[in-house]
Amino acid sequence: MPTALSVVIDALPYLLQGSLLTASIVVAAMLLGLVIGTFMAVGLVYGNKVVRYLLTLYLWIFRGVPVVVLLFLFYFGIFNFFGLPFSAFTAVTIVLGMTTGAYQANIFRGAILSLPQGQFKAASGLGMTDSQAIRCIILPQILRISIPAWSNEFSIILKDSALAFVIGAPEIMARTQFVASRTYQHLAMYITAGVIYFFLTWAGVMALRKLEQHVRIPGYSYNGSR
Amino acid sequence: MNDKHSILKCTNISKSYDDQLILSNVSVELTKGEIKVLIGPSGGGKSTLLQCINCLVIPDSGKIVIEDHPIHLTRKPDLYRLRQQVGMIFQDFNLFDHLTALENITIALCKVKKLDKPAARKRAQIELEQVGLADKATLYPAQLSGGQKQRVAIARALAMDPKILLLDEPTSALDPTLIGEVISVIKGLADKGMTMIMATHQISLINNIADEILFMEKGRIVEQGAPSVLLGKGNESRSQGFCDKLNDLAAVEG
Amino acid sequence: MNDKHSILKCTNISKSYDDQLILSNVSVELTKGEIKVLIGPSGGGKSTLLQCINCLVIPDSGKIVIEDHPIHLTRKPDLYRLRQQVGMIFQDFNLFDHLTALENITIALCKVKKLDKPAARKRAQIELEQVGLADKATLYPAQLSGGQKQRVAIARALAMDPKILLLDEPTSALDPTLIGEVISVIKGLADKGMTMIMATHQISLINNIADEILFMEKGRIVEQGAPSVLLGKGNESRSQGFCDKLNDLAAVEG
Amino acid sequence: AGKLVNGIDANFPPFAFIDKTGQPSGFDVEAMDWVAKEIGMEVSHQPIEWDGIITSLLTKKIDIIASGMSITEERAKKVNFSIPYWVIKQVMVAKKDSSLTIDDILNGKKAVGVQQGTSEAKWIKQEAAKKGWNLKLHYYSSAPLAVEDVLNGRIDAAAMDDAPAKDAMGKKAVKIVGTFGMHDEEFGYAVRKEDTELLKKVNAALEKLMGTPEWTALIEKYELNK
Amino acid sequence: MELSPFYQELFTSLNRGVIMSVALIVPSAVGGVLIGILAGTVRTFGSRIGRAIGDGYAAVFRGTPLVVQLFVIYFGLPNLGIYFTPYAAAVTGFTLCSGAYQSEYIRGALLSIKNGQYFGAQALGFTTFQTIFWIIVPQAIRRAIHGCGNEIIYLIKYSSLAFIVTCIELTGEGKTIATEYFRFTEVFTIIGIYYLVLVSLAMLILKKIEEWLYIPGFGHH
Ligand SMILES: Nc1ncnc2c1ncn2[C@@H]1O[C@H](COP(=O)(O)OP(=O)(O)OP(=O)(O)O)[C@@H](O)[C@H]1O
Ligand SMILES: Nc1ncnc2c1ncn2[C@@H]1O[C@H](COP(=O)(O)OP(=O)(O)OP(=O)(O)O)[C@@H](O)[C@H]1O
Ligand SMILES: [Mg+2]
Ligand SMILES: [Mg+2]
């Protein structure tokens, strides 16, 4: 009977391959979410009634429905219906991106609302158009403020990416189960997966810390970075 | 140039928020080089009026004509053009917190006036020198004192070559020890003939530079006249109580 | 009671932050009913000194004696006792934002003085009346004007029956139109014989109630004396430039 | 030559699992390789979450399921099955040193683990109600986890297919107590209803394979008859 | 209206599952908030050791997937002689994980309280503990309420992971039916609607709590 340790050591390269898949899903989904979230936040704050109503509906659905369900609906339902030939990887990335986009929109909206109104007024007062004011004055400030909340979102999506296997993209968690089912070393394998996730989270959070310090401006004491 | 010809003419400006009338049929006219001061109790509508003049708040009705060009209140490009010609200074400065003093000035020059970077920097440097802050160009707003922030805000507005300057209580967020520097910059502008309309209760500004005082209460201009008249001893009008208080405060300060 | 006997005695207070000496060997003594005013340029250490007196900032060295009881700077209970006897008013009020005006006063009475609820409410009501805010008892800080907030802060400090009141620029965060009400409350306290030490540049306070002015610069008291002497025309000392500026400002205000 | 994608449940050793090198492996995988070769097609094996496996087949993400799937009426409404290739018995598994008999387990107020959603889970529940067995059912997300809890002592026995039970015996201190009266089940390959051509070829190849010595060798290799 | 046997069975199971879900979510949400407040406060104001412990707790429970945490609690701890029932294991795991996230929101909120509030209380003679407990925390909770609400909504959706520890709730019941009939798409769509209702309900309750805690000057813009 192989020992727990030898099983873990044997499985490590296989799991680490999976973490590459996990990492690329997370990075792609977070970036997609960033784009969606930014546009949505601007729409939610500055848009007209119809835009705000539609975006709120989007927020409600994507925050209210579990990601597994969304994944099923999009991968087997909507993408299929429109004949979109997305691979499992693309599909997961899009669904996770759209989900985190909703959460990020909420984060950014909060940040925009927390900016003093004067910032927008001052920009308008100088003759900037609304879109110039948003691009040059509002977004650079709120993206900075949002980094800590964004890092929370990152660690959540990192773990949500395990759902990729539901549609056949075997990332860390799925691989962990495969090895455990074959070797019956469940506990050791799950702990190993936990450690890998822990380091992935840690690496991401540290990178964001660095970014946060890099773009820091005197006079802000952003939460969570004393 | 005909100095008596009005540079800005606002007629019958009205504005309400949630059924509450904040401004009712207010008219203001400015000729080149003229300086008007708005005074009156808190909530009287001074800030709202100033923001209506450059359409940061769009009036519900009324007409705005700048240098004989009427402004369409519903046409965005018209508003952008208006705001380029009317500079504004806020009570709490509203510098862009993520940009240095210099960048605060260049960003509008680049984006709005479409200057190229070097030209914008040159112009910004000149304006900073004018307000005595050439050496603070690379500091962020959080690293400046209140008086310095307000002076950057003034430099930023002036860099756009405005025809008119609106000032909304430019000194009231400042420590008593910092007010002096801002007052002297404003006085300098007055000396150079800048057309201005400002809300302030700073007696020294009112006494020394105002051509006319407008007393606002409950959304109307209830009284207007030269400082000597309104603040004079014999004034028996509606604004009397308020003006007495202003005079008292000045006396206490002395 | 012997009025000449000192009620508070701080000796050789020093404090540095990150190797930077902010206060160096500052000594202050107060007798009952005495009022001292701290003036001086920004960053001179006025706020730090006031906060050292009630140990909000623990001095690196020095001695504090209140009513002949020396305070052990390292013993928490001693500090809590000291702070109960020394009230403090801050520039930006520091009212508890989640409590109403009344609760702001009762919470300290209940938690620190261990009064029961009804007794605390009664006392708080009395203090609010004293500062003319009996009708605002149920409002939250966000619903009060600056002047009203500062008056609640004063009432809150007074409810603790302090022996001494420390005031750190109590009017400088207020709009010019709101300063008056706070000044008159402070003057009222002076008339009643409250012992106070305050940092302020409000000329009317300095001229009318100060027994002595302490001029602070770079962490030291470089000059002290009666207002008439320090602010008088013939003053040729180190503080001259600053006092002239204060006088100028007052003149400008007139 | 056409290409076939075979969807497998890689948590089902010895029929389908991921081997040490990270490659799909198992009795069904090797058999399918032989069948594909026989009908002149290339086959790849795609591990996929069991929950989504039939939907994946129907939406053409995969073309065939050769992965220990029992032929049931419900499934047959959606897909077509090949000829049965294996008969599976349902057994009870208990600790190696346990002295429990099948009767003890069914009528001795024992705790019994099953994988949720399986046919044995449904059958035991129905029969227990009919015959008045007083056992208590615990539902697990996979059979190996039920075995894990047999060892932990939370449950007294686990009901499962005999093949994975034998697999577990080789790796953990458990034994098979015996069958408990449930009807046998048959495994078959599943294909889409419209792929009648494919089904014909697969059936022919499968029939041929079952007559060759390779088939017995495979059974030997994966210890299905031990 | 007569439902087909499939739907009859489905809805009976889902209704049973939703009760279990609520039984899991409510104590975990409440426990998570309480632990979050405690851990967040310790992580901000605690002693060096307290902070280290709090930060370690938050790092582990935010850094590892909930599945792994549940697995270790349920299948791992028996190795140490600690046996949790499925329900207890699920609630423990959810509470600890949620508490870690909540502590982060609370910490952020605590840091956003201006230190003037702290000084104001100290100057009146409050002890440090009194200051934190009576002045700082009540304000921070009001600031953090949006974040905490988000976390509770996440918790509702994560509660489906209870199936790992054999605790069968909404998703688990649905999956059982779905595997029996192999009708995943329909079942999951209906489960999605159940969750949407649960989440909307939670949002409603959170809004009520928010209104109940509302004080002029906090939260609302
Ligand atoms: N965005 C808004 N929505 C609703 N009411 C508003 C808004 N802005 C201003 N008001 C109201 O309009 C009135 C006039 O406000 P305004 O700021 O113009 O007064 P003010 O004369 O500048 O007072 P102050 O001296 O305090 O600055 C006030 O009663 C204020 O409450
Ligand atoms: N917590 C701190 N850490 C480091 N330096 C500090 C701290 N608090 C105050 N200082 C420094 O101590 C010096 C004195 O500050 P203080 O606030 O006492 O001056 P002040 O005389 O009250 O000035 P002002 O008139 O601007 O209030 C300043 O240089 C300030 O930067
Ligand atoms: Mg105003
Ligand atoms: Mg100070």
Side-chain angles (χ1 to χ4, degrees):
Chain A
M1 217 182 285
T3 65
L5 188 64
S6 69
V7 166
V8 168
I9 291 173
D10 279 351
L12 218 44
Y14 180 60
L15 290 191
L16 291 178
Q17 268 172 22
S19 63
L20 273 183
L21 181 65
T22 297
S24 34
I25 290 176
V26 172
V27 169
M30 285 305 284
L31 291 180
L32 178 62
L34 181 64
V35 174
I36 294 178
T38 313
F39 277 100
M40 279 183 66
V42 170
L44 280 165
V45 177
Y46 300 110
N48 64 28
K49 236 193 180 124
V50 180
V51 170
R52 285 207 309 266
Y53 180 81
L54 289 177
L55 292 180
T56 309
L57 189 71
Y58 178 98
L59 269 190
W60 178 63
I61 290 174
F62 275 81
R63 290 177 0 123
V65 178
V67 196
V68 208
V69 177
L70 292 173
L71 206 48
F72 263 87
L73 289 182
F74 275 84
Y75 189 61
F76 296 126
I78 295 170
F79 294 161
N80 226 50
F81 182 80
F82 290 106
L84 300 171
F86 290 149
S87 70
F89 174 83
T90 320
V92 174
T93 305
I94 290 176
V95 172
L96 280 180
M98 287 171 74
T99 310
T100 180
Y103 282 90
Q104 290 183 32
N106 220 30
I107 293 171
F108 297 151
R109 173 171 64 172
I112 294 179
L113 291 177
S114 77
L115 277 190
Q117 273 197 337
Q119 296 285 318
F120 193 88
K121 278 203 171 158
S124 300
L126 287 167
M128 288 193 192
T129 64
D130 292 354
S131 87
Q132 279 176 334
I134 289 169
R135 268 185 297 124
C136 305
I137 307 301
I138 305 296
L139 289 183
Q141 295 193 49
I142 61 129
L143 291 179
R144 281 184 172 91
I145 304 178
S146 304
I147 293 177
W150 210 76
S151 97
N152 241 352
E153 193 56 30
F154 160 79
S155 77
I156 289 169
I157 288 300
L158 178 59
K159 275 154 272 153
D160 269 357
S161 68
L163 290 170
F165 182 57
V166 169
I167 58 171
E171 41 57 71
I172 302 172
M173 256 351 269
R175 288 169 187 241
T176 304
Q177 278 166 27
F178 295 161
V179 178
S181 297
R182 171 167 54 81
T183 60
Y184 278 79
Q185 292 293 353
H186 290 90
L187 188 58
M189 288 308 299
Y190 273 73
I191 290 176
T192 309
V195 172
I196 294 178
Y197 274 105
F198 184 84
F199 279 112
L200 285 179
T201 314
W202 181 79
V205 169
M206 280 301 134
L208 285 171
R209 274 275 157 92
K210 275 264 160 353
L211 175 69
E212 194 183 330
Q213 273 154 16
H214 183 70
V215 299
R216 159 173 278 158
I217 282 168
Y220 282 76
S221 57
Y222 297 132
N223 296 346
S225 56
R226 279 180 286 177
Chain B
M1 197 182 284
N2 177 7
D3 267 9
K4 281 283 153 258
H5 190 64
S6 81
I7 189 171
L8 174 85
K9 190 167 175 172
C10 303
T11 326
N12 289 329
I13 305 279
S14 292
K15 175 77 198 173
S16 30
Y17 283 118
D18 319 318
D19 296 343
Q20 218 195 334
L21 201 60
I22 307 294
L23 290 180
S24 74
N25 285 319
V26 177
S27 300
V28 187
E29 195 169 342
L30 278 175
T31 58
K32 191 160 162 43
E34 199 183 10
I35 296 176
K36 295 203 167 166
V37 169
L38 294 171
I39 63 170
S42 181
K46 304 179 293 296
S47 302
T48 309
L49 174 59
L50 288 176
Q51 294 186 17
C52 278
I53 291 177
N54 71 345
C55 291
L56 283 185
V57 169
I58 312 269
D60 297 336
S61 66
K63 257 177 62 182
I64 298 174
V65 180
I66 184 159
E67 287 201 314
D68 297 327
H69 294 287
I71 300 293
H72 273 263
L73 296 181
T74 49
R75 284 198 359 215
K76 285 254 167 180
D78 258 36
L79 301 188
Y80 297 146
R81 204 165 40 73
L82 167 70
R83 291 178 192 148
Q84 286 176 41
Q85 299 177 43
V86 181
M88 179 139 193
I89 313 290
F90 299 86
Q91 174 178 2
D92 36 9
F93 331 133
N94 291 340
L95 291 187
F96 304 133
D97 294 329
H98 64 303
L99 302 175
T100 62
L102 190 82
E103 289 165 349
N104 258 281
I105 303 176
T106 53
I107 191 159
L109 290 174
C110 293
K111 302 291 167 192
V112 179
K113 292 239 156 174
K114 313 284 182 201
L115 291 194
D116 58 5
K117 275 239 167 118
R121 292 179 62 88
K122 216 174 194 170
R123 178 64 199 269
Q125 215 96 40
I126 293 172
E127 290 299 338
L128 279 178
E129 250 160 60
Q130 293 274 325
V131 296
L133 289 175
D135 53 331
K136 308 284 180 197
T138 59
L139 297 186
Y140 285 92
Q143 298 168 313
L144 299 172
S145 77
Q148 292 167 339
K149 278 189 234 183
Q150 194 58 295
R151 284 188 279 157
V152 174
I154 293 174
R156 181 175 70 176
L158 292 178
M160 304 298 289
D161 292 319
K163 304 266 165 28
I164 301 164
L165 220 48
L166 312 176
L167 299 98
D168 191 0
E169 316 219 14
T171 59
S172 73
L174 300 177
D175 261 346
T177 42
L178 301 173
I179 291 179
E181 54 191 77
V182 174
I183 290 184
S184 76
V185 169
I186 295 176
K187 281 184 180 162
L189 291 177
D191 291 345
K192 283 188 201 148
M194 178 55 92
T195 314
M196 294 191 267
I197 173 162
M198 82 179 86
T200 187
H201 292 109
Q202 202 65 43
I203 282 287
S204 72
L205 279 177
I206 301 178
N207 278 336
N208 295 336
I209 69 171
D211 293 319
E212 189 174 41
I213 296 183
L214 311 178
F215 181 81
M216 284 196 76
E217 198 174 32
K218 298 194 183 129
R220 295 166 186 280
I221 297 180
V222 291
E223 197 122 14
Q224 61 193 92
S228 53
V229 178
L230 245 74
L231 298 176
K233 285 279 141 157
N235 171 15
E236 289 276 329
S237 60
R238 290 172 68 175
S239 62
Q240 187 200 10
F242 188 83
C243 292
D244 284 355
K245 239 166 105 186
L246 268 184
N247 279 326
D248 282 356
L249 200 62
V252 159
E253 302 281 300
Chain C
M1 196 182 288
N2 177 5
D3 266 10
K4 281 282 155 258
H5 189 66
S6 81
I7 190 171
L8 174 84
K9 192 168 174 172
C10 303
T11 327
N12 289 331
I13 305 279
S14 291
K15 175 75 197 172
S16 30
Y17 284 117
D18 319 315
D19 296 342
Q20 217 195 334
L21 201 62
I22 306 296
L23 290 180
S24 73
N25 286 319
V26 177
S27 301
V28 186
E29 195 170 341
L30 279 173
T31 60
K32 190 160 160 46
E34 199 183 9
I35 296 176
K36 294 202 169 166
V37 169
L38 294 171
I39 63 170
S42 181
K46 304 178 295 294
S47 302
T48 310
L49 174 59
L50 288 175
Q51 293 184 11
C52 279
I53 291 177
N54 71 347
C55 291
L56 281 186
V57 168
I58 312 270
D60 297 336
S61 66
K63 256 177 63 183
I64 298 175
V65 180
I66 183 160
E67 287 201 315
D68 297 329
H69 295 286
I71 299 293
H72 273 263
L73 295 181
T74 51
R75 285 197 0 215
K76 284 251 168 178
D78 257 37
L79 301 187
Y80 296 145
R81 203 164 42 72
L82 167 70
R83 291 179 192 147
Q84 286 176 43
Q85 297 176 42
V86 181
M88 180 142 191
I89 312 292
F90 299 85
Q91 176 177 3
D92 37 10
F93 332 132
N94 291 343
L95 290 186
F96 304 135
D97 294 329
H98 65 304
L99 301 175
T100 62
L102 191 81
E103 288 164 350
N104 257 280
I105 304 176
T106 53
I107 193 164
L109 291 172
C110 292
K111 301 298 163 197
V112 180
K113 292 237 157 178
K114 313 284 181 201
L115 290 193
D116 59 4
K117 275 240 167 116
R121 290 181 63 88
K122 215 174 196 170
R123 177 65 200 266
Q125 215 97 40
I126 293 172
E127 291 297 338
L128 278 179
E129 249 161 61
Q130 292 275 326
V131 295
L133 290 175
D135 54 329
K136 308 284 179 196
T138 58
L139 296 186
Y140 286 92
Q143 298 168 313
L144 299 172
S145 76
Q148 292 167 339
K149 278 189 235 182
Q150 193 60 296
R151 286 188 278 158
V152 173
I154 293 174
R156 183 175 70 175
L158 292 178
M160 304 297 288
D161 290 319
K163 305 266 165 25
I164 301 164
L165 220 48
L166 313 176
L167 299 99
D168 191 1
E169 316 220 16
T171 59
S172 74
L174 300 176
D175 259 347
T177 41
L178 301 173
I179 291 179
E181 54 192 79
V182 173
I183 290 184
S184 77
V185 168
I186 295 175
K187 282 185 178 162
L189 290 178
D191 291 343
K192 283 189 199 146
M194 177 56 86
T195 314
M196 294 190 267
I197 174 162
M198 83 179 85
T200 187
H201 293 108
Q202 202 64 44
I203 282 286
S204 72
L205 279 176
I206 301 178
N207 277 336
N208 296 334
I209 69 170
D211 293 318
E212 190 174 42
I213 295 183
L214 311 178
F215 180 81
M216 285 196 76
E217 197 174 32
K218 295 190 184 134
R220 295 165 188 279
I221 297 181
V222 291
E223 195 120 16
Q224 61 192 93
S228 53
V229 178
L230 245 74
L231 298 177
K233 284 278 140 149
N235 172 17
E236 287 279 327
S237 59
R238 290 172 67 176
S239 64
Q240 188 200 9
F242 189 82
C243 291
D244 283 356
K245 239 165 103 184
L246 269 183
N247 279 327
D248 282 357
L249 200 63
V252 158
E253 303 282 301
Chain D
K3 283 185 181 161
L4 268 185
V5 180
N6 174 28
I8 57 169
D9 173 13
N11 290 313
F12 196 59
F15 286 92
F17 58 90
I18 301 292
D19 69 14
K20 263 191 182 180
T21 62
Q23 294 310 310
S25 179
F27 179 82
D28 280 332
V29 170
E30 289 199 37
M32 188 63 219
D33 280 341
W34 195 96
V35 168
K37 202 168 164 197
E38 176 68 21
I39 61 179
M41 294 179 92
E42 267 178 48
V43 70
S44 61
H45 305 277
Q46 166 78 61
I48 210 160
E49 176 99 3
W50 194 241
D51 292 350
I53 206 160
I54 286 204
T55 320
S56 292
L57 180 68
L58 297 179
T59 52
K60 304 192 175 167
K61 311 287 181 194
I62 55 177
D63 306 306
I64 191 166
I65 302 168
S67 181
M69 181 174 273
S70 309
I71 301 170
T72 68
E73 239 177 85
E74 287 295 340
R75 287 174 193 165
K77 284 180 196 162
K78 307 206 138 194
V79 298
N80 278 347
F81 280 104
S82 68
I83 52 168
Y85 64 91
W86 191 255
V87 176
I88 197 110
K89 291 184 172 24
Q90 308 298 321
V91 296
M92 286 288 179
V93 168
K95 269 190 194 169
K96 200 165 217 156
D97 53 6
S98 152
S99 57
L100 289 176
T101 64
I102 288 293
D103 193 52
D104 290 341
I105 294 171
L106 297 181
N107 282 311
K109 292 190 173 165
K110 296 297 180 221
V112 175
V114 286
Q115 180 180 351
Q116 66 167 306
T118 54
S119 43
E120 59 267 27
K122 194 172 183 182
W123 185 85
I124 292 178
K125 194 171 140 201
Q126 281 169 355
E127 293 298 298
K130 259 190 251 163
K131 301 199 175 132
W133 297 339
N134 57 16
L135 56 80
K136 184 165 181 339
L137 279 181
H138 291 240
Y139 295 91
Y140 289 82
S141 59
S142 75
L145 283 184
V147 171
E148 191 81 15
D149 242 8
V150 167
L151 291 167
N152 274 334
R154 277 209 190 84
I155 53 175
D156 302 288
M160 54 201 291
D161 294 350
D162 60 353
K166 284 173 193 159
D167 190 57
M169 261 170 61
K171 292 163 181 163
K172 290 270 162 171
V174 289
K175 66 172 185 193
I176 293 175
V177 181
T179 58
F180 50 91
M182 183 174 158
H183 59 85
D184 295 342
E185 289 194 327
E186 291 168 332
F187 285 169
Y189 297 173
V191 297
R192 280 183 291 274
K193 291 247 184 230
E194 68 262 29
D195 287 344
T196 44
E197 205 46 39
L198 176 67
L199 184 63
K200 254 187 224 158
K201 285 192 210 160
V202 167
N203 271 339
L206 196 53
E207 202 157 4
K208 185 170 171 197
L209 170 63
M210 286 164 73
T212 62
E214 274 109 326
W215 184 251
T216 4
L218 269 183
I219 291 173
E220 279 299 306
K221 179 175 173 190
Y222 290 101
E223 303 179 340
L224 291 183
N225 267 349
K226 202 171 72 175
Chain E
M1 190 182 71
E2 238 343 82
L3 285 173
S4 75
F6 166 71
Y7 280 107
Q8 272 180 19
E9 194 178 342
L10 179 63
F11 284 117
T12 328
S13 309
L14 290 187
N15 291 340
R16 187 172 57 227
V18 91
I19 290 171
M20 182 45 121
S21 288
V22 171
L24 286 169
I25 293 163
V26 172
S28 308
V30 174
V33 168
L34 292 181
I35 289 187
I37 292 173
L38 185 73
T41 310
V42 170
R43 289 176 67 199
T44 315
F45 297 113
S47 64
R48 182 185 285 261
I49 297 173
R51 284 209 307 268
I53 293 174
D55 286 345
Y57 158 70
V60 167
F61 280 87
R62 290 191 327 134
T64 57
L66 183 52
V67 198
V68 173
Q69 293 161 23
L70 289 173
F71 192 89
V72 170
I73 290 172
Y74 189 74
F75 292 105
L77 290 184
N79 291 329
L80 307 175
I82 303 168
Y83 286 80
F84 276 99
T85 64
Y87 178 75
V91 171
T92 308
F94 291 161
T95 307
L96 288 175
C97 181
S98 179
Y101 280 98
Q102 299 286 22
S103 82
E104 194 66 16
Y105 290 115
I106 299 282
R107 194 175 74 92
L110 285 170
L111 289 176
S112 80
I113 306 291
K114 286 194 280 224
N115 57 7
Q117 296 290 315
Y118 184 86
F119 284 139
Q122 290 281 299
L124 288 166
F126 279 67
T127 65
T128 308
F129 180 80
Q130 282 175 331
T131 308
I132 293 170
F133 189 77
W134 291 105
I135 306 300
I136 310 293
V137 170
Q139 296 187 31
I141 288 174
R142 293 184 166 88
R143 286 269 166 85
I145 192 155
H146 281 280
C148 294
N150 256 353
E151 172 54 30
I152 287 174
I153 287 167
Y154 267 122
L155 176 64
I156 292 174
K157 297 197 282 169
Y158 283 141
S159 64
S160 63
L161 291 178
F163 80 88
I164 281 284
V165 297
T166 80
C167 203
I168 308 297
E169 41 59 76
L170 187 51
T171 310
E173 295 279 6
K175 256 187 174 175
T176 306
I177 305 283
T179 18
E180 267 172 32
Y181 292 88
F182 258 95
R183 290 166 77 163
F184 282 95
T185 313
E186 292 147 276
V187 173
F188 272 79
T189 307
I190 294 170
I191 293 179
I193 294 170
Y194 267 77
Y195 275 106
L196 201 56
V197 172
L198 276 185
V199 168
S200 307
L201 215 65
M203 284 175 167
L204 211 71
I205 294 172
L206 283 166
K207 191 142 218 180
K208 281 273 170 279
I209 294 179
E210 215 174 291
E211 277 165 18
W212 175 60
L213 286 177
Y214 172 71
I215 277 176
F218 279 91
H220 289 236
H221 292 279

